[in-house]
Amino acid sequence: MDERNVRILQAVAELGTGSPDEIAEYTDIPKSTVHYRLSKLKEDGVVTNDLLDVDLEQLGLDITVVTEVTAEYDEQYHEEVGEKLADIEGVNQVYFTMGDTDFIVISHLSDRKMVHRLISDYESIDEVVRTSSQFVVETVKNESYPLNDFEFDTLIEAVDDD
Amino acid sequence: MDERNVRILQAVAELGTGSPDEIAEYTDIPKSTVHYRLSKLKEDGVVTNDLLDVDLEQLGLDITVVTEVTAEYDEQYHEEVGEKLADIEGVNQVYFTMGDTDFIVISHLSDRKMVHRLISDYESIDEVVRTSSQFVVETVKNESYPLNDFEFDTLIEAVDDD
DNA sequence: ATTGAAACTTGATCGTT
DNA sequence: AACGATCAAGTTTCAAT
């Protein structure tokens, strides 16, 4: 991995496409070089398919943190708190729950320093009362494309044509 | 949504590509029709970018379940239990933790019936002691491409060229 | 809305540095 | 490993249904 590869992957995330042409324009790297780099990333297993899913460990994002956040808020503000959490850099998923905990937040990070930064970012939100059950976890399965055969069968039964 | 659209999205998940050609072959739908359908899915916001991320709510997968699973197992079997959990149909993410809870499991499902099925699938695993903190949650943010500007900056600093 | 075939754009390849 | 020029391959469009 070097900076150029990271910039290519960054362009993918930013543009939402894997087109060598668009990536080339965005990064100012010639498109044949972009193509060469992307092929190599696939060959090395960093990028795992045509949808450009990435292997987090190979990128050094081995730390996944699952945090349960409790917040103090009026009914009408839970959306606002959720968005504040979502805006924290490094946060990938935010779920709102209706149990003891209010939010479950998931982040993929590169090192411990970033974990500390994340925690202090949580604490800087006024409404956040406490962050409990901070799990640093090992990823067993991470299916980015959220649909599987099971769901498809259900969906096919369920769909009313429109 | 109709069955044909679902089958196209299923092909995307199965093949790991958005190529009209490959999808056409897999589904036996003519490639120009596949193209027409995919364009419409993008236009309607069901598919949100060239990487073919999907809007779960629009697909009727509005129920996300986060489950904390505790298991009884010898040290060498935690991998096996993790895989059993990952194999359950409808399970999208599995994280192994080193706290009180052993696994955090995330699923996207279409209705309550499926939630019950999921729970009974957990219970059918020998080593699973209990499933606690079953949260049915509302998705505030779900970023499937797991990389963001924050991480990219960190990565660019961190990378040693290889 | 569907499709086969035509038109076109693009990604992949190759040879050179 | 990088890259500009070239070509094959793929996608997109179109007209008819």
Side-chain angles (χ1 to χ4, degrees), chain A residues 21-153:
Chain A
D21 239 349
E22 290 190 44
I23 296 169
E25 179 161 6
Y26 186 86
T27 59
D28 272 317
I29 300 170
K31 73 171 178 177
S32 51
T33 304
V34 170
H35 178 258
Y36 174 81
R37 290 287 190 134
L38 271 179
S39 322
K40 201 149 192 323
L41 285 169
K42 284 177 194 169
E43 195 181 301
D44 295 347
V46 176
V47 169
T48 53
N49 58 25
D50 289 355
L51 304 177
L52 305 185
D53 288 335
V54 295
D55 183 322
L56 293 176
E57 285 193 28
Q58 291 213 42
L59 272 175
L61 299 175
D62 351 43
I63 303 181
T64 296
V65 182
V66 179
T67 309
E68 296 179 4
V69 175
T70 306
E72 190 176 63
Y73 53 88
D74 288 307
E75 202 178 323
Q76 63 267 37
Y77 287 95
H78 86 258
E79 201 173 323
E80 193 184 318
V81 178
E83 270 164 31
K84 282 185 187 174
L85 289 169
D87 283 347
I88 293 177
E89 290 184 299
V91 166
N92 298 110
Q93 275 97 30
V94 177
Y95 300 115
F96 173 68
T97 82
M98 280 164 270
D100 295 335
T101 302
D102 294 312
F103 296 96
I104 296 171
V105 184
I106 297 177
S107 310
H108 300 289
L109 303 167
S110 52
D111 59 37
R112 259 166 211 295
K113 207 171 73 186
M114 294 300 144
V115 177
H116 292 308
R117 221 200 82 126
L118 182 74
I119 293 168
S120 88
D121 279 349
Y122 287 143
E123 285 167 359
S124 73
I125 298 178
D126 289 339
E127 295 89 345
V128 167
V129 176
R130 61 196 165 82
T131 58
S132 58
S133 305
Q134 199 119 28
F135 297 121
V136 176
V137 303
E138 181 187 318
T139 302
V140 178
K141 178 187 196 179
N142 185 10
E143 185 178 64
S144 71
Y145 204 79
L147 301 165
N148 48 52
D149 281 337
F150 175 59
E151 284 300 349
F152 283 119
D153 294 342

Side-chain angles (χ1 to χ4, degrees), chain A residues 1 68 96 138 143 162, chain B residues 1 68 92 96 138 143 162:
Chain A
M1 280 302 274
E68 296 179 4
F96 173 68
E138 181 187 318
E143 185 178 64
D162 66 339
Chain B
M1 279 302 273
E68 295 179 5
N92 298 109
F96 173 67
E138 181 187 320
E143 185 178 66
D162 65 340

Side-chain angles (χ1 to χ4, degrees), chain A residues 9 13 54 56 59 61 92, chain B residues 143 145-149 151-152 155:
Chain A
L9 293 175
V54 295
L56 293 176
L59 272 175
L61 299 175
N92 298 110
Chain B
E143 185 178 66
Y145 203 79
L147 300 164
N148 49 53
D149 282 336
E151 284 300 348
F152 283 119
L155 275 175

Side-chain angles (χ1 to χ4, degrees), chain B residues 15-34:
Chain B
L15 301 168
T17 179
S19 158
D21 237 348
E22 290 190 44
I23 296 169
E25 179 161 8
Y26 186 85
T27 58
D28 272 317
I29 300 169
K31 70 175 174 180
S32 51
T33 305
V34 170

Side-chain angles (χ1 to χ4, degrees), chain B residues 121-133:
Chain B
D121 279 349
Y122 287 143
E123 285 168 358
S124 73
I125 297 178
D126 290 339
E127 296 88 345
V128 167
V129 175
R130 62 197 164 82
T131 58
S132 58
S133 306

Side-chain angles (χ1 to χ4, degrees), chain B residues 86-103:
Chain B
D87 282 347
I88 293 176
E89 290 185 297
V91 166
N92 298 109
Q93 275 97 32
V94 178
Y95 300 116
F96 173 67
T97 83
M98 279 163 272
D100 295 335
T101 301
D102 296 312
F103 296 95

